[in-house]
Structures are given as structure tokens and as C-alpha cells.
Amino acid sequence: MKKLVVLSGAGVSAESGISTFRDNGGLWDNHRIEDVATPEAWKKNQELVLDFYNQRRKQASSVKPNAAHYALAELEKSYDVTIITQNVDNLHEIAGSSKVIHLHGELFKSRSTKNPRLVYEMTSWELKTGDLCELGSQLRPHIVWFGEEVPMMETAVDITEKADIFVVIGTSLAVYPAAGLVHYVPASKPVYIIDPAQPEISLKPNMTFIREKATLGMEILAQKLEALA
């Protein structure tokens, strides 16, 4: 079975109603990235950061996967699919995708501030000051903040290098290191890039651009994959 690797971004979840900061001038609900999504922000105002992610979690709890999420899950019937996502929501999993790698962390998990290997599933949308790990330290969102290392990047590169087909969907390829994954795809393998705005990357012979939103783009991709089979 051919290995189909997908790099997904905020544009996939946007059609489910999850807001993206890049569509709002670098703001999430009037919050600057520097104030809510950096280690410095956590040190400066823990309450603000916790509340910000509580609101993200609350919003994500109220939305459902869209047709693009389900179409990606459907591909598992014909391909060995791995989704590498920049999204922190769990909509890929809810839609039925079985192999999902979260590059930027997971919204519905918390982790210890003392030992980053201690990660916990969250049973509600709220994480508060005083919620502690088993070592007695404050729990923080299990999110890779700006300025932090991306621990799953090495795994993502390894998977990308083995791809028979690579699909980019719902990302402008502006956030690194994730955006760099496209350069690890073997030159002989097809790359499909689904996004309304063509990303500013060097065009290579193996690249096909589908300039549509995620849901319609997946319908077009399914036709192209059928012709490829």
C-alpha cells in the first residue's frame, strides 16, 4: 500500500469554525502572539495564558470535523496515511484518521512544567492555576509555543522522506520548521498543495497546486489520485 503523507494546517479547521490567528493580522481574539503563545508570556502572565487556551479549548469543543477531515480519513481505505498537522485541535482524530502527528502540541492535553514527559489527557476544557502534575508542579497547555523546539519534527521528516505521495492542505507554508517538510519529499514523488492562495515557494516539477479551500480541494484531489492509481 502506498504511503500518503499529509501536512495539514489551520485552513482545514477554519471551515469547521476554528479561528486562525493569521487571518486576523497575527491576532487571536485581539491577543498578540507574544502575550499568549510564548514561554515569556507564561512567565509574565500565567492567568492570561491559561484563560486564552481555555477559550480555545471551549471553542474547539463546540465544533465538528468538516468534509475535508472526513475525506482525509477516507483515504485510509486506499493508502497508508499519516497526517502531520500543525493544528492543535483533535478534529482529524474525531473524523477517523488513525495516524496523526501533532507538530505544535495538542489542545486537549496538559503537561507538567517540571517534567515535559508527563502529559495528561484533559477531561474538561478548563485548566486552572493550582492544577498540578503528580510531581506537584503547575500544569501548562501541551502546546509548542513560539520560541520552543518542535519535538516531533524529526519523526515528521523521517515519515516525509518515505512518502509516495505528499499532500499539503490548509497551510500557507509560512510557519517553520513545519513548512520545510515539503523539501524532504523525494523529487520523484508527486506533491499536491491545496490552498486558496498559492504559497510562496519555489515551484518544482513534481508539484501540483489546487487553489481551493480544503473541502473542495479534497474533492479535486480525490479525482487526481484516482487518475494516478
Side-chain angles (χ1 to χ4, degrees):
M1 195 176 269
K2 285 188 175 181
K3 292 184 184 297
L4 190 150
V5 180
V6 179
L7 173 64
S8 77
V12 180
S13 296
E15 289 188 78
S16 287
I18 292 184
S19 57
T20 67
F21 72 88
R22 291 190 176 273
D23 290 336
N24 297 293
L27 297 173
W28 265 307
D29 290 350
N30 299 314
H31 289 294
R32 295 188 317 140
I33 294 162
E34 296 85 348
D35 296 334
V36 291
T38 63
E40 293 74 24
W42 176 253
K43 288 173 190 168
K44 182 181 176 183
N45 194 337
Q46 184 176 292
E47 285 287 344
L48 176 64
V49 174
L50 285 173
D51 181 64
F52 173 77
Y53 283 100
N54 284 342
Q55 296 311 312
R56 302 279 73 68
R57 220 173 278 114
K58 192 175 183 181
Q59 184 203 15
S61 299
S62 68
V63 303
K64 295 178 179 177
N66 60 56
H69 292 107
Y70 287 113
L72 287 166
E74 188 76 8
L75 288 174
E76 292 192 13
K77 291 180 179 177
S78 306
Y79 299 94
D80 176 6
V81 181
T82 301
I83 295 177
I84 301 166
T85 186
Q86 295 169 270
N87 300 336
V88 296
D89 61 64
N90 57 358
L91 294 177
H92 282 304
E93 288 91 339
I94 294 171
S97 289
S98 60
K99 289 195 283 187
V100 184
I101 293 170
H102 286 268
L103 287 180
H104 296 159
E106 296 180 66
L107 195 54
F108 291 94
K109 290 183 180 179
S110 63
R111 80 167 182 258
S112 167
T113 48
K114 193 170 186 177
N115 181 351
R117 288 189 294 275
L118 292 176
V119 178
Y120 305 88
E121 296 279 350
M122 291 186 64
T123 54
S124 77
W125 57 268
E126 202 168 16
L127 184 62
K128 303 186 292 289
T129 296
D131 289 344
L132 308 177
C133 77
E134 63 207 63
L135 302 176
S137 71
Q138 174 65 40
L139 289 169
R140 58 162 274 182
H142 183 48
I143 300 291
V144 178
W145 287 326
F146 289 88
E148 293 184 323
E149 286 186 16
V150 181
M152 294 303 293
M153 195 62 202
E154 199 173 311
T155 301
V157 168
D158 185 54
I159 290 166
T160 300
E161 288 177 333
K162 296 180 175 70
D164 293 308
I165 301 167
F166 194 78
V167 177
V168 178
I169 179 167
T171 172
S172 59
L173 295 176
V175 178
Y176 282 83
L181 282 174
V182 72
H183 302 301
Y184 288 94
V185 182
S188 61
K189 306 300 182 182
V191 175
Y192 297 94
I193 300 177
I194 302 169
D195 199 80
Q198 186 167 310
E200 293 181 16
I201 59 170
S202 302
L203 185 62
K204 294 181 180 177
N206 62 336
M207 291 181 178
T208 300
F209 290 93
I210 301 173
R211 297 188 65 175
E212 299 289 350
K213 287 186 177 180
T215 49
L216 180 54
M218 281 304 300
E219 290 180 24
I220 296 168
L221 175 68
Q223 295 167 4
K224 290 184 180 293
L225 291 178
E226 214 170 283
L228 198 68

